[in-house]
Amino acid sequence: MKLIRLLLLPIVPVYYLVTWLRNLLYDAEIKTSKSYDFPVVCVGNLSTGGTGKTPMVEYLIKLLKADYKLATLSRGYGRDTKGFQLANVNSSATLLGDEPFQFYNKFKNDILVAVDEDRQHGIEILSALKKKPEVILLDDAFQHRKVKAGLNILLTTYNQPYFNDIVLPTGNLREPRTGAKRAGIIVVTKCPEALSDSEKASIEKRINPKANQLVCFSTIGYSTVVISSEKTRPLASLSKFTLVTGIANVKPLLSYLSVKNLAFKHLEYKDHHSFTAEDIARISENELIVTTEKDYMRLKKHEVLKSKLYYLPIVCHIDKASVFNEKVKNFVAR
């Protein structure tokens, strides 16, 4: 794969030019973006792959849900449906996509969860509801420039920061690095817990934020328990299990489990993998299965897995939490 991407290097200038020109047209208002008279917060990234958008959206939900009527709006990647869908008791990961279904399962009593490939269209429908939201959180919509979010939160990972990358197809960037200028907050995600202040300063210097941009650093914290539909168990009590993952970057999870000296084997699938009957039969051969919360949304419907399937929750920790929270809350309050 690396060789193929290297061979595609001559295409990089073409991709760069096309995406740069597209942004230029939006910046010059030749192509139009729609603004709204209520708070719209976008969580996104410049790169392909997992940067921790789901934990960040959940962080924002917990931060705001007590004070505002919230809605999340996602594309619904990997779903079998098209167009606008509003989550309800009959929804599933198949109808909504993994992450939106996860939001619904965790926060269905507090927020609205919707999906639509066209975020502008989705916002229009949400705004027309009788009980319309006061704040809309856009999941993975940084490049969806038909909508002009009032606050953009850009995520980039510690191991693969956007300033060390180039655009597709040889690199992983969806657009040139200059796109970072649209962000109000830049969060370096999946950092090691022992990240020093000097290294943070070095990274922030590479980012070179504008005066109005806040740079934060976050870590992913894993729970000490695993959860099923019926019970909760201490992670340390699992003597042997099979780990099933279908996420973009599994390295932090593997590192965490290894540090805990847990005995497990790993069945790894691609991000947003659609589990087949053959996959389920293979997975069900194991006595105890631990998976991510996102994968759990797709796997829990299979009766053959019900008594043996658990997920390991994660949470996002931000180093400048009070400053971050204040910036978000001040934007929403305005």
Side-chain angles (χ1 to χ4, degrees):
M1 180 61 74
K2 288 183 179 179
L3 178 59
I4 294 175
R5 297 189 100 187
L6 188 60
L7 292 173
L8 293 173
L9 185 60
I11 302 176
V12 166
V14 178
Y15 186 94
Y16 182 100
L17 181 61
V18 170
T19 53
W20 175 83
L21 182 58
R22 176 179 182 267
N23 281 332
L24 180 64
L25 293 174
Y26 274 109
D27 293 340
E29 299 183 353
I30 296 171
K31 290 178 72 70
T32 57
S33 298
K34 185 167 183 179
S35 300
Y36 298 89
D37 58 359
F38 55 86
V40 177
V41 180
C42 170
V43 176
N45 50 21
L46 293 182
S47 64
T48 60
T51 54
K53 292 184 293 295
T54 301
M56 178 57 69
V57 172
E58 292 188 356
Y59 183 99
L60 294 171
I61 292 171
K62 293 172 185 175
L63 178 66
L64 299 171
K65 67 184 178 68
D67 300 314
Y68 300 96
K69 295 177 183 177
L70 294 181
T72 63
L73 179 60
S74 312
R75 174 188 174 190
Y77 185 84
R79 62 186 171 123
D80 291 342
T81 56
K82 297 291 184 181
F84 182 85
Q85 296 280 329
L86 185 64
N88 57 53
V89 292
N90 297 315
S91 296
S92 65
T94 303
L95 296 175
L96 297 176
D98 304 330
E99 292 92 346
F101 190 51
Q102 180 174 318
F103 299 151
Y104 179 72
N105 270 266
K106 296 180 79 168
F107 303 106
K108 58 188 170 187
N109 296 323
D110 300 307
I111 69 170
L112 297 171
V113 175
V115 295
D116 198 327
E117 301 93 334
D118 184 339
R119 307 310 202 288
Q120 194 177 107
H121 178 254
I123 291 174
E124 288 173 2
I125 295 180
L126 285 170
S127 300
L129 294 175
K130 187 174 182 180
K131 295 183 178 180
K132 63 182 180 180
E134 297 170 308
V135 181
I136 295 180
L137 305 177
L138 299 180
D139 176 26
D140 194 15
F142 198 73
Q143 284 76 39
H144 196 90
R145 297 204 60 186
K146 286 198 291 183
V147 168
K148 187 174 183 178
L151 176 63
N152 282 298
I153 300 175
L154 177 68
L155 310 184
T156 185
T157 62
Y158 169 81
N159 287 324
Q160 292 181 308
Y162 72 84
F163 54 75
N164 282 343
D165 208 347
I166 62 173
V167 297
L168 294 163
T170 301
N172 293 308
L173 298 186
R174 299 170 175 177
E175 60 173 295
R177 303 172 194 173
T178 52
K181 293 178 180 179
R182 300 197 304 276
I185 303 175
I186 299 173
V187 184
V188 183
T189 63
K190 302 184 179 180
C191 297
E193 291 185 5
L195 188 64
S196 67
D197 289 340
S198 61
E199 189 172 0
K200 288 179 182 179
S202 177
I203 293 171
E204 186 164 349
K205 185 176 181 180
R206 293 290 307 278
I207 290 173
N208 190 25
K210 298 186 298 183
N212 64 330
Q213 289 182 310
L214 172 66
V215 176
C216 296
F217 297 82
S218 71
T219 58
I220 293 295
Y222 293 94
S223 178
T224 57
V225 300
V226 290
I227 300 172
S228 74
S229 59
E230 300 175 347
K231 58 183 176 179
T232 298
R233 294 177 60 175
L235 179 62
S237 71
L238 308 184
S239 57
K240 188 177 181 181
F241 60 90
T242 297
L243 176 68
V244 177
T245 62
I247 57 177
N249 181 12
V250 74
K251 289 181 180 179
L253 174 56
L254 294 178
S255 176
Y256 175 77
L257 296 176
S258 297
V259 167
K260 294 288 184 182
N261 294 318
L262 297 169
F264 64 93
K265 71 175 183 179
H266 183 201
L267 296 180
E268 184 176 8
Y269 298 89
K270 66 179 182 179
D271 193 22
H272 294 284
H273 178 70
S274 181
F275 292 98
T276 65
E278 184 179 346
D279 294 330
I280 300 304
R282 180 189 180 198
I283 294 169
S284 68
E285 293 173 355
N286 301 279
E287 293 184 8
L288 182 60
I289 305 155
V290 175
T291 190
T292 67
E293 191 168 2
K294 184 173 82 168
D295 294 313
Y296 183 80
M297 295 302 136
R298 283 172 288 161
L299 293 170
K300 69 175 186 175
K301 66 181 179 180
H302 298 283
E303 193 67 29
V304 69
L305 302 178
K306 189 174 182 179
S307 64
K308 57 181 76 175
L309 182 66
Y310 294 79
Y311 71 87
L312 181 65
I314 61 174
V315 64
C316 174
H317 299 290
I318 300 175
D319 68 333
K320 302 175 186 174
S322 60
V323 181
F324 177 93
N325 294 353
E326 184 179 10
K327 189 173 179 74
V328 172
K329 286 185 172 182
N330 285 345
F331 162 72
V332 172
R334 288 199 303 270

